[in-house]
Amino acid sequence: METKLQIHDTGNGYPGDQQLLRLRRASSGQSHQNYPQFNQNSDPTEEEEEGVEEVDSSGPNVELRNTPLPMAIKRAVWKSQQMQDNRASSSKSWKQKNKKSLRNLRSITREAGQFFTLWGKSLQLIGGNFGGGVQSYFLFLRFLVILNFFSCLLIAGFVLIPSIIFRSVGTSLENSTGPEECMKYDPNPPGLVLFYNYFLDLLSGTGFMEYSYLFYGYYNNTQVAEESFSYNIPLAYLFTAVFYFAFCLICLIIRMGNAARVAVATGGSAVGSYSMIIFTGWDYGCLGDQATRLKQKNIHYQLQVDLEEEALSRRAASLTACQKIVHYTLRVVTFLIALGLNAAAFYGIFEATNFSQQNSGRAGFLGLFFEYLPSIAITTANFVVPLLCDQFALIERYSPSTTVILVLLRAVFLRLLSLGVLILTLWQQITCDGNANSRDCSLCKYNNKDYPCWETRVGQEMYKLTLFDFLVNLAVLVLVEFPRRIVVDHCPNKLVQWFGRQEFAVPHNVLGLVYGQTVVWTGALFCPLLPVINTIKFVILFYCKKITLFHNCRPALKTFRSTTSTIYFLVTLVFGWGLATVVMIYSLAEIQPSMGCGPFRFFPTMWSIVPTSFYNLSAVTQDFLFFIGSQAFSIPLFVFSCVVMCYFIALAAVYGKSVALLRTQLKLEGRDKKFLVRQIEELSRQLERPNANSGAHS
Amino acid sequence: MGNKQTIFTDEQLDAYQDCTFFTRKEILRLHGRYHELAPHLVPMDYTNEPDCKVPLSLIVNMPELKENPFRNRIVESFSEGGDGNLSFNEFVDMFSVLSEMAPRELKAIYAFKIYDFNVDNFLCKEDLEKTLNRLTKEELTPEEVELVCDKTIEEADLDGDNKLSFADFENMISRAPDFLSTFHIRI
């Protein structure tokens, strides 16, 4: 142990610290796996012994593969461990066999997991060539595909298959009385149907598609009640819809939790932190010459952006009061103009929907155009308004990161609200502005003249929106992106080259996905097969986007941070979910279901089937459920959950404070270490001097 | 398992499995890649632990490393004498640390070694300048380089000695959410 007191006179050195630590280690016998063993001029055999000693002293729990020792030493340690285990008692060798079989199992499951992961290889390739931001878009798309797939399994299992069985078996429908006028519903048009009408019907969901499993109107209100088996289709339909929403929300929250955990653990890293960019900016998995050069330009750009932000904030701080007033007035003006543009877009959508609903009976391709008018209006608005608002960014002069977030927020706001305006317009028409006493709605409490089966009509609108979105994506791909690449590659014109190949715009594409998923959620109650259509649509979209990415796009200069961006995507998806939930709850609870079609035709509201079936349950269950719903249970439950929430909030605050305290402690420890090292060096110098003196004398 | 491979003994494969984050199949595949680099130098039979090293110039031409601006430093950090010639042990070790299963602490240790150009166990300003120039292909002006290096040291230096020790580096890495996904080479 004496040799370990030899201290290299490096003055500022880590080797000096290391010797000091060895002293500490020898005395306290603690584990020290966090300190790298920087023995670069070491003697191998001595190090082997030390390595063996140190690893063994820290206990058998330390995994060998996690230690930062060179491989030759790790294998020597492993060999000595094996020899020790061979000499050990039978119980220990049984433990070793267990560990080995566990390891084999783990490797087999890992390989199986890699095999079954959907599109794993493609995602790796995308990440390597285009970076984490684009990869996060494709990961998000994959998540939505899996979510939709499980949703359609849910709906198929509980609603579709029982309906098919009961329809083919021919179970009797329950009849009830009601105004004769309201029960008239004839979806099949009389007379000859021209051949091209099939194509038109496919695109607009009318004709042969209207009275099919695709839409709400086809499902019957069969309630099977035999001795051993009972199935209530309306109740199943309702509960499946509610559970579908709950399932989607749970999946979203779990996924957000995973992403948020990383963000919280890293303390909400500040965007534009220089050390982050330098040390973690380079993606080691980057492949290819072109990708590397672009990555370098990307990092260069990021640093420039940060430097510019800094310069901007310094300039902003030094503005005079007059300039500040002008600046803020400009911002308020642009905000009002953006609001005005949005309002104009919403009004356009409102008018288009009204016009489309009034002229819905037209035949031929003109009729198809009128059917698709709301979709066209929404897509045009979502394209034109952000383009105009982008021009304001030059006047507003926010910092670049604020600009990106603001653009995103505006686009989300526009997309989801335009969908909301469409639904509001439909509601106005169906319920005559909510006025049950107006001329058209007085008989059946909904506008039965224009909407004999209003749920199917709403479902058709959502179906058309989904289809139109898909067709527009394909059209843009074929008509805009491929030609652009061909032009750029073959035309040496300077203007064309400056325009260049396009970049894969991640925020724009993600908003498209969020919009599509929101439409599906809104329409799922009225068009049960919409998740199936959406799954197929997203799968095709994945392959199309991958093809366009590899053939037409160049990697973006301005990137998206991949970890925090996942959270933003999921938050916007939750907004969409919220909108769809509002629509669903309102339809369930407030509007009179159509009396001519669907599983709820003889109920005052869709929800009223639940109390009706409730009274068929046994008395004990009824009492139990009453108790849970009563105030005696719910108020204590509410108070309890408030207490639990306060506890977690307090815990989070305490953790935050302790992290800050530990950081200051780290700083102090560092200073202590330097002070002690200096003391030891001084002491050793003092010890050497008397020795030298005594040597010189004698 | 009945594998008929004759490259390694079973004991060697078990040792590699315990000391790295790879499975049997991946280790054999790595040996194939290592052999491809220098077929005349690397024997196919490793059962008696041959002592051969593939030179640096051949390793940095691997497709996974070819375009990496830090390829020389990566290979040097994992070699025994710091000269960049890797034996098979060191080759496997390198890709094990850079694989996706390696924990953050282990990766931080080797990342520190990689960025420490003058091998003095500190990240001083010259190390940072070299790192920055390799990252941006020397497109920043010298004033910008100076500014960024100063800001980096200001952000990460905890003990106030104007350079980053391993503790400073590790503390900064622990706050980086992207580190695990970027410090990762797939092979």
Side-chain angles (χ1 to χ4, degrees), chain A residues 160-273:
Chain A
L160 187 64
I161 293 177
S163 286
I164 296 176
I165 294 174
F166 295 144
R167 189 173 275 271
S168 62
V169 162
T171 328
S172 62
L173 298 151
E174 284 198 12
N175 279 331
S176 182
T177 53
E180 194 59 40
E181 268 292 312
C182 303
M183 301 217 285
K184 261 200 268 187
Y185 174 58
D186 187 19
N188 293 319
L192 264 181
V193 177
L194 297 164
F195 76 96
Y196 66 79
N197 274 334
Y198 281 115
F199 178 67
L200 293 176
D201 287 337
L202 185 72
L203 284 181
S204 60
T206 49
F208 76 95
M209 292 206 74
E210 183 166 340
Y211 201 59
S212 68
Y213 283 110
L214 186 60
F215 293 114
Y216 167 96
Y218 190 64
Y219 292 86
N220 289 320
N221 60 346
T222 42
Q223 300 182 17
V224 178
E226 294 168 16
E227 317 87 47
S228 57
F229 173 73
S230 72
Y231 201 84
N232 191 340
I233 291 243
L235 199 63
Y237 195 97
L238 185 77
F239 276 162
T240 308
V242 172
F243 187 67
Y244 167 59
F245 273 81
F247 170 71
C248 289
L249 183 68
I250 291 172
C251 288
L252 278 179
I253 288 183
I254 290 177
R255 198 161 167 92
M256 248 201 303
N258 286 336
R261 213 169 293 149
V262 174
V264 167
T266 56
S269 57
V271 180
S273 166

Side-chain angles (χ1 to χ4, degrees), chain A residues 644-669:
Chain A
V644 168
M645 201 158 53
C646 287
Y647 168 71
F648 278 115
I649 293 174
L651 205 65
V654 162
Y655 280 146
K657 277 204 202 105
S658 51
V659 165
L661 272 174
L662 283 169
R663 262 195 213 134
T664 19
Q665 202 177 349
L666 255 174
K667 274 195 214 174
L668 291 171
E669 293 266 313

Side-chain angles (χ1 to χ4, degrees), chain B residues 7 11 55 65 83 93 116 140 157 171:
Chain B
I7 309 174
E11 193 198 340
L65 291 177
D83 58 355
D93 205 16
D116 186 10
L140 288 174
D157 189 18
N171 179 45

Side-chain angles (χ1 to χ4, degrees), chain A residues 25 30-37 51 54-59 62-64 66-69, chain B residues 105-106 109 166 170:
Chain A
R25 243 180 270 140
Q30 273 177 352
S31 158
H32 52 75
Q33 299 303 328
N34 289 329
Y35 284 88
Q37 315 281 324
E54 284 152 7
V55 173
D56 270 347
S57 66
S58 50
V62 173
E63 281 214 25
L64 203 53
N66 287 337
T67 53
L69 301 163
Chain B
E105 299 79 28
L106 189 63
I109 291 172
F166 178 68
E170 196 179 16

Side-chain angles (χ1 to χ4, degrees), chain A residues 316-486:
Chain A
S318 64
L319 284 176
T320 63
C322 182
Q323 282 176 323
K324 269 195 198 155
I325 293 175
V326 169
H327 203 62
Y328 283 126
T329 338
L330 266 175
R331 282 188 184 169
V332 169
V333 166
T334 51
F335 175 72
L336 287 174
I337 296 179
L339 213 62
L341 276 173
N342 281 339
F346 294 151
Y347 183 70
I349 295 168
F350 171 75
E351 281 300 318
T353 315
N354 275 333
F355 188 75
S356 160
Q357 294 295 319
Q358 280 160 12
N359 295 347
S360 60
R362 296 273 189 91
F365 283 100
L366 193 63
L368 190 70
F369 175 70
F370 284 144
E371 296 263 2
Y372 270 91
L373 208 55
S375 325
I376 296 172
I378 290 182
T379 311
T380 322
N382 281 320
F383 178 71
V384 165
V385 175
L387 212 66
L388 291 174
C389 286
D390 276 348
Q391 310 308 317
F392 297 150
L394 300 163
I395 310 177
E396 285 172 341
R397 263 188 277 144
Y398 285 114
S399 65
S401 48
T402 320
T403 319
V404 168
I405 296 175
L406 216 64
V407 162
L408 257 181
L409 276 179
R410 281 191 185 138
V412 165
F413 180 72
L414 181 67
R415 281 222 185 216
L416 293 182
L417 273 187
S418 49
L419 187 64
V421 165
L422 173 71
I423 292 170
L424 206 68
T425 322
L426 281 175
W427 171 81
Q428 258 187 3
Q429 300 228 328
I430 291 170
T431 57
C432 314
D433 277 330
N435 184 5
N437 293 325
S438 98
R439 190 169 43 98
D440 289 327
C441 297
S442 52
L443 190 58
C444 318
K445 294 206 210 87
Y446 61 89
N447 191 346
N448 69 310
K449 203 157 56 79
D450 293 329
Y451 300 97
C453 191
W454 64 264
E455 293 95 342
T456 303
R457 186 66 75 86
V458 176
Q460 281 170 339
E461 284 298 330
M462 298 299 130
Y463 171 76
K464 279 185 279 188
L465 279 177
T466 308
L467 215 58
F468 188 70
D469 185 48
F470 179 57
L471 290 174
V472 163
N473 269 315
L474 283 183
V476 164
L477 205 79
V478 169
L479 298 175
V480 174
E481 296 188 2
F482 271 101
R484 179 170 168 174
R485 183 194 57 135
I486 293 173

